[in-house]
Amino acid sequence: MKTLATLAILLAAVSFASATAEPEPGSILATGAMRQPTGPAIQTDFGMRFQDVGSYPTILYDPRAPGPANIVFDKFMDSADRKDYCGDSLVIVGPMPSSDPNTRWEAKMWWRLARRAPLQSDVAMGFQTRYKVWRDRVADGLAIDRPFRPEFTWGWMDSAQLGSSPYRHKFLSNFREQDDDFVGEGNPENEMIWDDVLFPGTKIEYFFTANYVNQPDELAYHPDTTGGFFFEFEVLPGLRTAYVPNCYVPGFNFCVFQPATLYIDADNRGAQFYIENALATVLHGSPPCQDEDGCPLPFFPHWDRYDYLDASSNWNAPFARGAIVGSNNGMTLNQILGYRTILLSTGNHGPGTTEDWDYALYRWWLTTPDSGANEYRQAFVMNGNFAGQILNEFPTYGRPFMQEVLGAGFTGTYAADECFRWAPGISEVIPGTTFSILSPTAGTGSRYYAALDGSPDLYWGQIRNSWTATDGNYRTVLDGVSWSCLALPAEDHCRTDPPAIFAAAAGEIGDALRWAFGVPTNDQIPRLTETEDLAIDQGTWPYPADAAGESEVPIDRLWGTEPNPASGRTTIRFSLAAPKHVEIRIFDVGGRLVRTLVDGPMEQGGHTAAWDGKSDAGKSVGAGVYWASMRSGAFSSTRKLVILN
């Protein structure tokens, strides 16, 4: 992989309209959420927000493989012998209506593509893509994916159900019967955001409004969108188009790259505010932010952020995709190999935050030679007030990772009422912080807690480790205190104001990354990496594509079925990168073969196979969910389809 320290990125500027009391379809900003006194107060149910994810079901780094719109909630929770399987539909909850009809309420979900993936296309191999089918249907004529000021669309949310009984106070991200986009209960295309359409680089912003049925103009919002704050989820890596002359072939100047840094936020917005303002200084050269409310962040930041939602709960799935086949959570080793840096922040969360399995993935990422990953230096930096304790209490992978890879041990925690200098740096630990005390195993102590009141110093607060061998080329940093709990000092007291924390965090992150990569200045820290090299190595880059993502070069792909759902005949679209043997088969939900449609050699290019809804025995199949499967050489893919009565 080639790494570029600086690139001129083609930005799509975003601006917001002034605040309005209630949104209209296509509005840029809806604000004032909770100030309406008569709107029902709503929130997302436990584990029911959309979760960042990599492409699925593939485990490869594939810029054109979609990722699902799944939620945090792992249906099998912590069952070690079951796959990690995140649920499909988001749920919001509000007040339980009484017998008084005035207490009945309803809800809408609003969403837009804040960033469209650079290789997302409307047409491929002469066929209309499922992305275009989905977008055109749900957008209702609105420009929900344009690069400048994308518009919000919305849908009426259906009531959640327990069996056949609907809840009266819970709604999910499916269209209800009265919505013009409703296509039937249980139909996967009745979901507001489909699972198989969004390519890496997509960022969805969304929020909710609720109103009592007899007061349609009195809205409550979740979240409060004042100032342009929305919920979001992304399909990672965050691919983007950059201007680099002759980057693929002579005369081809717009190419696809990804950030070199992955910031994993396991603090759920606690430390994110400070860390991202600091990253803007370190990775973009922005001046340290002096605004108490934070400064605008770059539209295309030189980092990806994985929101590890509900990271200390028992219902979350790991960041590391489960090893059991069928797991649909998080990201795989192949999908993170393009990152040169991983920053993991646990903030002020304690033991139980993240999952033991995550640290197996981080170790593999640092040590694997796959795709030339350790040809260049890699950096793993972890920080959090209880980081040492978190690692120590994961015996299978976390503790060995801490001791053997990070070169550190856990001594204990200390609740500090007084100021401590983060020595030999210039930052100070904010009073009231509980932090980890670490000890070196294979690593070296680099920071300690220097008491300012004359009491004994505490060793150590930071451990650094280096490894350069055939099984790795990396440097690591483990901090026992969250960057959000450090501040630049004043003359006579510890500061706690955001600008002081921004500056301290920027200083510590910059110092760690400059040391890790052996560079003297922040502008030499890796910022972007090429998509092409990694995808070629994994066999998922058989083009160049143009800046819009169109390609006339055939690729192996199962594009989908039309119509879907189908009440009789449906057509399966697929393409081959070269002449070869291909199998197209239909399976039921139990994995039993229903029908073989194609089993033989075919030419390069686009093809179709028709299915009349009958089995190999000539009998019509029953209504339900089926799977179209394509196998050709090493390539395999499946697509869900629904047969109606």
Side-chain angles (χ1 to χ4, degrees):
M1 295 173 289
K2 303 183 185 71
T3 301
L4 289 85
T6 57
L7 284 173
I9 294 181
L10 184 66
L11 297 179
V14 173
S15 61
F16 296 102
S18 59
T20 56
E22 69 178 79
E24 295 295 336
S27 65
I28 304 304
L29 179 65
T31 64
M34 301 304 177
R35 66 169 175 257
Q36 287 84 1
T38 54
I42 56 173
Q43 63 183 15
T44 50
D45 211 346
F46 296 115
M48 293 294 167
R49 280 176 54 186
F50 289 125
Q51 174 65 64
D52 296 334
V53 72
S55 299
Y56 173 82
T58 184
I59 64 171
L60 297 176
Y61 179 92
D62 187 345
R64 293 186 189 236
N70 286 341
I71 58 173
V72 176
F73 196 89
D74 182 353
K75 292 183 177 181
F76 303 121
M77 295 195 185
D78 293 327
S79 299
D81 58 343
R82 305 291 295 273
K83 61 187 177 183
D84 292 301
Y85 199 77
C86 296
D88 215 25
S89 297
L90 175 154
V91 176
I92 63 168
V93 61
M96 175 66 77
S98 67
S99 57
D100 183 351
N102 293 325
T103 61
R104 290 180 53 233
W105 59 279
E106 57 192 355
K108 296 177 181 177
M109 187 172 92
W110 302 71
W111 71 97
R112 67 177 178 184
L113 280 84
R115 286 201 300 265
R116 171 173 162 157
L119 297 180
Q120 197 87 61
S121 58
D122 291 350
V123 177
M125 300 301 300
F127 296 107
Q128 183 173 258
T129 62
R130 276 183 57 75
Y131 169 80
K132 184 177 186 301
V133 173
W134 165 76
R135 183 201 61 200
D136 290 352
R137 188 184 123 204
V138 303
D140 295 325
L142 301 169
I144 67 171
D145 66 347
R146 66 187 180 192
F148 178 68
R149 294 166 63 97
E151 299 175 306
F152 278 103
T153 188
W154 61 270
W156 285 111
M157 301 179 72
D158 199 7
S159 56
Q161 293 187 180
L162 179 63
S164 60
S165 302
Y167 287 105
R168 294 186 296 151
H169 68 305
K170 294 185 178 184
F171 294 87
L172 77 165
S173 54
N174 289 7
F175 293 105
R176 77 181 190 188
E177 290 85 343
Q178 294 82 0
D179 195 286
D180 62 350
D181 290 318
F182 177 78
V183 293
E185 297 279 357
N187 187 331
E189 294 190 358
N190 199 49
E191 296 175 8
M192 294 182 177
I193 303 177
W194 291 359
D195 282 332
D196 58 350
V197 297
L198 303 177
F199 286 1
T202 301
K203 177 180 178 180
I204 297 280
E205 292 180 335
Y206 65 100
F207 65 97
F208 310 93
T209 59
N211 62 274
Y212 290 110
V213 174
N214 65 345
Q215 295 178 308
D217 297 327
E218 296 291 339
L219 302 179
Y221 290 58
H222 184 60
D224 186 341
T225 57
T226 303
F229 172 72
F230 310 103
F231 290 140
E232 64 181 54
F233 79 94
E234 299 184 59
V235 181
L236 298 174
L239 307 186
R240 70 278 313 272
T241 304
Y243 176 79
V244 179
N246 304 313
C247 51
Y248 289 157
V249 294
F252 199 85
N253 300 327
F254 289 93
C255 301
V256 179
F257 299 86
Q258 72 163 72
T261 296
L262 175 62
Y263 161 38
I264 301 175
D265 176 25
D267 196 28
N268 297 176
R269 296 194 60 80
Q272 175 193 328
F273 171 64
Y274 303 103
I275 292 175
E276 291 204 297
N277 274 274
L279 287 173
T281 298
V282 174
L283 298 179
H284 285 267
S286 302
C289 180
Q290 299 300 315
D291 191 327
E292 295 273 343
D293 297 322
C295 295
L297 299 175
F299 183 70
F300 280 115
H302 292 325
W303 68 90
D304 279 342
R305 189 184 76 239
Y306 180 92
D307 289 322
Y308 203 140
L309 300 177
D310 301 340
S312 58
S313 70
N314 67 335
W315 58 73
N316 71 294
F319 163 74
R321 185 166 299 169
I324 298 177
V325 174
S327 296
N328 65 359
N329 61 299
M331 301 181 73
T332 68
L333 175 64
N334 287 322
Q335 292 165 2
I336 65 173
L337 285 178
Y339 296 113
R340 296 281 302 282
T341 300
I342 289 180
L343 302 177
L344 171 60
S345 169
T346 56
N348 198 40
H349 281 283
T353 302
T354 69
E355 297 285 343
D356 199 6
W357 180 241
D358 294 330
Y359 300 96
L361 178 61
Y362 302 143
R363 180 190 284 255
W364 292 334
W365 173 73
L366 288 169
T367 58
T368 182
D370 292 354
S371 301
N374 54 22
E375 179 181 349
Y376 298 93
R377 175 70 54 78
Q378 294 168 279
F380 181 88
V381 182
M382 179 177 178
N383 87 107
N385 293 337
F386 298 91
Q389 189 174 2
I390 290 170
L391 290 164
N392 195 58
E393 296 191 13
F394 286 134
T396 305
Y397 299 108
R399 189 185 305 153
F401 180 77
M402 175 174 62
Q403 295 171 346
E404 299 166 12
V405 178
L406 304 183
F410 171 65
T411 302
T413 58
Y414 183 84
D417 293 328
E418 66 275 32
C419 271
F420 276 85
R421 177 67 56 83
W422 182 242
I426 64 170
S427 302
E428 291 179 346
V429 180
I430 294 174
T433 300
T434 297
F435 50 75
S436 293
I437 302 173
L438 308 171
S439 59
T441 53
T444 302
S446 181
R447 295 281 196 275
Y448 63 93
Y449 305 101
L452 301 182
D453 62 357
S455 57
D457 297 336
L458 301 175
Y459 292 87
W460 292 89
Q462 181 185 91
I463 305 294
R464 296 184 176 188
N465 197 25
S466 298
W467 187 260
T468 303
T470 56
D471 60 345
N473 177 13
Y474 59 83
R475 286 183 171 180
T476 66
V477 179
L478 175 62
D479 283 341
V481 64
S482 173
W483 293 318
S484 61
C485 295
L486 297 175
L488 291 184
E491 291 184 3
D492 57 351
H493 63 86
C494 284
R495 294 169 61 183
T496 59
D497 56 294
I501 300 174
F502 298 152
E508 288 301 323
I509 295 172
D511 183 70
L513 295 183
R514 289 192 304 273
W515 171 79
F517 290 104
V519 296
T521 59
N522 286 347
D523 60 4
Q524 295 174 290
I525 296 169
R527 295 186 176 182
L528 297 178
T529 59
E530 287 195 30
T531 301
E532 181 187 16
D533 288 353
L534 182 56
I536 286 175
D537 189 79
Q538 297 191 28
T540 60
W541 189 272
Y543 27 83
D546 65 20
E550 301 291 348
S551 174
E552 293 302 323
V553 179
I555 59 176
D556 290 327
R557 184 73 82 216
L558 177 60
W559 296 101
T561 63
E562 292 182 358
N564 187 8
S567 57
R569 185 183 181 90
T570 187
T571 299
I572 299 166
R573 301 181 293 107
F574 61 99
S575 60
L576 295 172
K580 53 184 168 178
H581 190 279
V582 62
E583 301 169 4
I584 303 293
R585 291 188 167 96
I586 305 296
F587 294 88
D588 65 16
V589 291
R592 294 176 289 270
L593 176 64
V594 174
R595 180 77 175 270
T596 297
L597 301 175
V598 178
D599 186 2
M602 299 193 77
E603 294 298 316
Q604 176 190 50
H607 302 277
T608 61
W611 183 39
D612 57 6
K614 295 182 179 180
S615 68
D616 280 329
K619 296 182 179 180
S620 296
V621 301
V625 175
Y626 294 83
W627 293 93
S629 168
M630 172 182 171
R631 289 185 178 275
S632 182
F635 175 83
S636 65
S637 181
T638 58
R639 288 286 184 268
K640 185 189 297 184
L641 63 99
V642 175
I643 297 297
L644 304 176
N645 288 324

